[in-house]
Amino acid sequence: MVIITQDMIKQFQNLIEAFDEPIKIIYENLHQGYPTETIVRFLKARDGNISKAHKMLVDCLNWRIENQIDKILSKPIVPVELYRSVRESQLIGMSGYTKDGRPVIAVGVGLSTYDKASIHCYVQSHIQINEYRDRIILPSATKNFERHISTCVKVLDMTGLKLSHLNQIKLLTVISSIDDLNYPEKTDTYYIVNAPYVFSACWKVVKPLLQERTRKKVQVLSGCGKDELLKIMDYESLPHFCRRQGSGSSKLARNNSNGDDDSCFSLDHGFHQQLYNYINQQAAGLKPRAPLKQGSFHVEFPEPDLMDCKIVQTIETEFHKIENQNGFADEHDHKGKINGEQH
């Protein structure tokens, strides 16, 4: 892994000094008072290549300007019924903090359906969570833990993952590209839990295709991962799906994904209540206040790079191999063949 030197940082800083004033303002909003750490993130994302890291940063800042990302936390998804549908089908939340203060972001990969709203709603929702993490959660953690905290850990629950999830690959690739290009090096580790055979088979093939820095961030844990995760966080910060063994892909797990009192995916969870209230307060504070339009705030999608496309193709191939070997399209689901269309 490349070592970022002070000389590399200084050269990058000199390039930033040449930014026009509007770009500098957006850059200040991006780095949140930690410009050096931000430079290091972009350098790491491009393996220390200053020219490529500079281009990546410029592209990111232009993307933020063109899509009004600095205002996205004042753009609620309305009406509330649509927002509720997004939350119920895009399972993501925050369950707590690691022992060293990093936010724990939980993602229900296997039970997310992404079929209740447009792709624009899901992209807007994802970016809003990213921005809320960077502007509110991380600065608060920095203050509470009395050290600079700029990254999170993610726990990905594969409960319920089936072959039909090929339908979601386009959307997931878009979201992944947004993170890779505009929020680089914001996640320290991805912990995979409750992984069924479908995931395990694909992971063996996909893992060698990933860049070394990405591959090192992914840890596939046994079962629900409870014992391993308790080494880095207290029980209270465990995502709900890591607290009970054997949730598997049962109907009970699906029904409880939003409804449990301790579910970090639930709209009643403190994280989602605070996020929802914050966005609505920001919207109410706009002057003059424009009437809110129904639907979502459209953000331009980045084009996935060639490696992303290769990984997606590999996943599709492996899924179809499993389908052919087993003679069915889905565990517990015999409704038809995978067509690869986006909901």
Side-chain angles (χ1 to χ4, degrees):
M1 186 172 290
V2 65
I3 296 175
I4 308 302
T5 66
Q6 287 299 317
D7 184 58
M8 294 162 66
I9 294 172
K10 183 62 178 176
Q11 289 183 55
F12 205 150
Q13 287 172 335
N14 291 337
L15 293 173
I16 290 173
E17 286 299 316
F19 283 170
D20 293 335
E21 198 59 34
I23 294 285
K24 283 185 178 179
I25 293 173
I26 300 299
Y27 177 60
E28 289 174 2
N29 293 339
L30 174 68
H31 68 58
Q32 295 281 307
Y34 293 93
T36 301
E37 289 81 356
T38 301
I39 287 172
V40 170
R41 286 198 296 111
F42 279 83
L43 283 169
K44 285 183 176 179
R46 289 297 177 262
D47 296 320
N49 185 307
I50 297 170
S51 176
K52 290 182 178 180
H54 175 254
K55 182 182 184 304
M56 183 186 189
L57 176 59
V58 171
D59 288 345
C60 169
L61 295 175
N62 285 326
W63 174 79
R64 295 184 70 87
I65 292 172
E66 292 164 5
N67 293 282
Q68 302 180 50
I69 300 301
D70 285 350
K71 297 181 180 179
I72 201 167
L73 286 178
S74 62
K75 307 287 185 180
I77 297 173
V78 290
V80 66
E81 290 78 16
L82 178 60
Y83 179 75
R84 182 176 295 275
S85 295
V86 171
R87 290 275 64 82
E88 290 175 350
S89 54
Q90 183 184 38
L91 303 181
I92 186 170
M94 178 180 156
S95 61
Y97 297 87
T98 61
K99 293 176 182 178
D100 60 2
R102 289 168 296 163
V104 179
I105 306 297
V107 185
V109 177
L111 294 178
S112 291
T113 57
Y114 299 100
D115 60 352
K116 307 284 187 178
S118 71
I119 188 172
H120 297 286
C121 288
Y122 292 118
V123 168
Q124 177 183 351
S125 165
H126 180 80
I127 294 173
Q128 285 180 329
I129 290 175
N130 279 356
E131 291 293 312
Y132 188 74
R133 173 199 64 197
D134 292 352
R135 299 191 213 175
I136 305 299
I137 299 296
L138 291 173
S140 176
T142 294
K143 181 179 179 180
N144 292 338
F145 288 86
E146 299 182 335
R147 72 178 191 87
H148 178 50
I149 297 171
S150 61
T151 60
C152 67
V153 300
K154 290 185 177 179
V155 185
L156 310 183
D157 180 23
M158 297 295 165
T159 296
L161 186 70
K162 298 182 292 187
L163 297 176
S164 60
H165 281 77
L166 274 179
N167 297 338
Q168 303 169 9
I169 281 183
K170 176 185 174 183
L171 172 59
L172 296 177
T173 303
V174 166
I175 288 176
S176 174
S177 295
I178 287 172
D179 284 352
D180 288 344
L181 296 174
N182 302 293
Y183 301 92
E185 301 296 317
K186 296 297 291 188
T187 301
D188 278 332
T189 310
Y190 297 88
Y191 295 101
I192 309 293
V193 301
N194 297 320
Y197 171 73
V198 167
F199 171 82
S200 301
C202 288
W203 176 242
K204 290 178 182 178
V205 178
V206 170
K207 185 177 179 180
L209 300 177
L210 300 175
Q211 294 181 359
E212 182 185 6
R213 63 183 178 82
T214 302
R215 191 165 60 243
K216 286 184 174 181
K217 289 183 178 183
V218 179
Q219 294 189 27
V220 182
L221 305 183
S222 175
C224 69
K226 178 180 176 181
D227 293 340
E228 287 299 312
L229 291 174
L230 283 176
K231 295 176 182 178
I232 65 164
M233 68 184 74
D234 295 331
Y235 181 85
E236 291 74 19
S237 290
L238 282 176
H240 60 280
F241 50 79
C242 295
R243 297 183 181 184
R244 39 184 190 269
Q245 283 280 11
S247 59
S249 58
S250 68
K251 184 177 180 181
L252 178 63
R254 177 178 294 277
N255 290 341
N256 286 348
S257 62
N258 287 333
D260 280 358
D261 291 338
D262 65 345
S263 171
C264 55
F265 300 148
S266 170
L267 274 173
D268 296 326
H269 190 273
F271 169 76
H272 281 298
Q273 288 289 305
Q274 292 162 16
L275 172 63
Y276 180 79
N277 291 336
Y278 181 86
I279 292 174
N280 281 279
Q281 287 167 5
Q282 295 299 303
L286 291 178
K287 297 180 181 181
R289 182 177 178 184
L292 295 175
K293 297 180 180 179
Q294 286 200 8
S296 61
F297 179 69
H298 288 205
V299 174
E300 182 182 347
F301 304 151
E303 286 294 326
D305 62 25
L306 293 177
M307 181 53 69
D308 284 337
C309 294
K310 182 177 180 181
I311 290 172
V312 168
Q313 291 171 357
T314 302
I315 291 173
E316 288 178 336
T317 300
E318 290 306 306
F319 265 50
H320 284 304
K321 283 182 182 177
I322 296 169
E323 178 184 20
N324 294 334
Q325 288 170 1
N326 291 280
F328 56 81
D330 272 332
E331 183 184 3
H332 308 310
D333 187 355
H334 301 268
K335 292 184 179 179
K337 294 197 293 184
I338 300 169
N339 58 23
E341 294 176 359
Q342 173 62 39
H343 287 297

